[in-house]
């Protein structure tokens, strides 16, 4: 005998079919208050930069692209480029010496890194600048024997050579530790797999180990490059008129334009470091292919995704 099941009718009008309840996002008033405070501070800082007559933006525009400033910028770029290339090459050699099984190479490499990281850069530059007092001539020949060729150190060590050698020597010590850390970050199984394939040690390093180590080397080494670009301002003390040296000299000649000239140097250094940061991002994205299934989106791709999300939200709001 079947029993009829009586269901209680819902109170109120029935909900229309297919209508979903709206999910309200969690309110976070602290974030909006913090964002408002930051925007107010940024607006005040920008207003002060634009309206304070002490900055003399008209003089800044006058000096920014002057040929004398661009010549100093070109010297800065040359010194930084030469020092970066020599520093990376020397850093790779020192890193290989640090992890070598030869005790002599390991000891010499460690001593070099320890000494050059302990001495300030300005001391190294000034020491090299006055090196002619210690060694007036340089010779090539048999050790502890006759010399075949002799060079005048004062003619050989120009201001550019002193600046590049000094910056490269210090950069090599720091780059060696960065490269060594990157090489040690490669899994030991990769070394064993490369050896099992019968590859020569040179190919093991250039084709398998070093490309994987670059994923860890690039971020830290680009930080060194940014520091190197800013450290080129010290070559002014060895009579090389780079960007900072040029600005410093112009400030002495035109004392009323000291602040605009410092702003010129600041903006150019910001541009150079920003370019290096952009290059770092794309190099990291390139070498991340072997570690990530999908590479991270570029800023342009993120901007397009954000615009697409705003459009979809707008369409949903208008459809309601």
């Amino acid at each position: 005998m079947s029993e009829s099941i009586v269901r209680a009718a819902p109170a109120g009008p029935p909900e229309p079919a297919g209508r979903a309840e709206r999910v309200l996002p969690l309110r976070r008033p602290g974030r909006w208050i913090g964002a408002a405070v930051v925007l107010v501070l940024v607006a005040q800082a920008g207003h002060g930069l634009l309206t304070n007559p002490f900055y003399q933006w008209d003089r800044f525009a006058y000096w920014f692209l002057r040929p004398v400033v661009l010549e100093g910028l070109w010297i800065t770029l040359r010194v930084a480029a030469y020092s970066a290339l020599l520093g990376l090459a020397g850093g790779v050699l020192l890193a290989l010496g640090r992890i070598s099984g030869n005790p002599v190479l390991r000891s010499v490499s460690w001593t070099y890194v320890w000494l050059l990281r302990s001495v300030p850069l300005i001391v190294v530059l000034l020491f090299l600048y006055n090196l002619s007092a210690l060694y007036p001539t340089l010779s090539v020949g048999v050790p502890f024997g006759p010399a075949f060729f002799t060079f005048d150190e004062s003619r050989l060590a120009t201001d550019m050579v002193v600046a590049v050698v000094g910056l490269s020597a210090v950069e090599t010590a720091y780059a060696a530790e960065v490269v060594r850390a990157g090489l040690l970050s490669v899994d030991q199984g990769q070394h064993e797999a490369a050896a099992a394939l019968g590859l020569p040690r040179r190919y093991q390093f250039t084709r398998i180990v070093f490309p994987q180590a670059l994923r860890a080397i690039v971020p830290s080494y680009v930080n060194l490059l940014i520091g190197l670009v800013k450290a080129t301002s010290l070559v002014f003390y060895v009579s090389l008129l780079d960007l900072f040296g040029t600005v410093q000299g112009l400030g002495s000649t035109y004392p009323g334009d000291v602040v605009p000239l410092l702003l010129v140097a600041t903006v150019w250094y910001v541009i150079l470091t920003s370019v290096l940061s952009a290059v770092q991002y794309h190099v990291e994205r390139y070498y991340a292919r072997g570690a990530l299934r999908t590479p991270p989106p570029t800023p342009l791709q993120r901007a397009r995704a954000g615009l697409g999300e705003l459009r979809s939200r707008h369409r949903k709001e208008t459809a309601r």
Side-chain angles (χ1 to χ4, degrees):
M1 188 174 188
S2 62
E3 296 181 357
S4 60
I5 302 175
V6 180
R7 296 182 178 178
E15 293 287 338
R19 181 177 178 181
E21 294 184 0
R22 183 180 179 184
V23 179
L24 296 177
L26 181 62
R27 300 185 183 276
R28 301 180 184 273
R31 290 184 178 181
W32 292 105
I33 294 174
V37 172
V38 171
L39 289 177
V40 169
L41 294 177
V42 171
Q44 287 181 340
H47 181 267
L49 283 174
L50 296 176
T51 59
N52 192 337
F54 192 69
Y55 289 111
Q56 305 178 57
W57 291 108
D58 56 336
R59 301 300 296 170
F60 168 85
Y62 172 79
W63 288 112
F64 188 69
L65 295 176
R66 297 297 294 176
V68 63
V69 175
L70 295 181
E71 289 177 4
L73 176 64
W74 174 239
I75 292 177
T76 295
L77 291 175
R78 288 171 58 193
V79 172
Y82 296 154
S83 302
L85 292 176
L86 294 176
L88 180 60
V92 172
L93 294 178
L94 280 180
L96 293 177
R98 287 291 308 275
I99 61 178
S100 173
N102 191 314
V104 175
L105 295 178
R106 192 166 60 246
S107 301
V108 172
S109 301
W110 180 88
T111 303
Y112 182 93
V113 173
W114 165 74
L115 181 61
L116 268 297
R117 289 200 306 173
S118 303
V119 180
L121 175 59
I122 185 63
V123 175
V124 175
L125 290 174
L126 292 176
F127 183 83
L128 292 175
Y129 187 67
N130 296 280
L131 191 62
S132 59
L134 295 175
Y135 303 99
T137 59
L138 299 176
S139 59
V140 177
V142 178
F144 310 105
F148 300 143
F149 304 100
T150 302
F151 305 95
D152 187 358
E153 198 275 338
S154 60
R155 295 182 180 180
L156 184 63
T158 61
D159 297 338
M160 175 66 74
V161 172
V162 170
V164 171
V165 171
L167 288 172
S168 301
V170 177
E171 186 75 5
T172 297
Y174 287 97
E177 291 301 285
V178 171
V179 174
R180 186 174 70 90
L183 295 176
L184 294 179
S185 68
V186 179
D187 188 79
Q188 188 63 28
Q190 299 294 318
H191 297 266
E192 297 173 354
L197 292 174
L199 296 176
R201 294 185 64 87
R202 178 167 61 90
Y203 285 101
Q204 293 180 26
F205 178 77
T206 57
R207 300 296 179 86
I208 295 177
V209 177
F210 193 64
Q212 297 183 63
L214 282 175
R215 194 163 56 242
I217 292 173
V218 168
S220 300
Y221 189 69
V222 173
N223 287 333
L224 287 181
L225 290 182
I226 292 175
L228 176 64
V229 170
K230 295 184 291 185
T232 55
S233 60
L234 295 177
V235 301
F236 168 70
Y237 293 97
V238 293
S239 303
L240 187 62
L241 292 180
D242 66 322
L243 176 61
F244 178 75
T246 302
V247 167
Q248 190 79 0
L250 291 173
S252 301
T253 307
Y254 303 92
D257 292 347
V258 172
V259 173
L261 287 169
L262 290 177
L263 287 174
V264 167
T266 300
V267 172
W268 275 120
Y269 282 122
V270 169
I271 291 174
L272 295 179
T273 55
S274 300
V275 170
L276 287 176
S277 299
V279 172
Q280 172 189 358
Y281 174 81
H282 289 285
V283 173
E284 286 182 6
R285 190 171 183 271
Y286 175 81
Y287 283 105
R289 296 178 303 170
L292 303 176
R293 295 183 181 273
T294 56
T298 63
L300 182 59
Q301 292 174 344
R302 286 199 293 264
R304 289 177 178 176
L307 290 176
E309 185 178 355
L310 290 177
R311 289 176 181 175
S312 62
R313 287 183 180 179
H314 179 69
R315 291 174 183 174
K316 291 180 180 179
E317 292 293 337
T318 54
R320 293 174 182 173

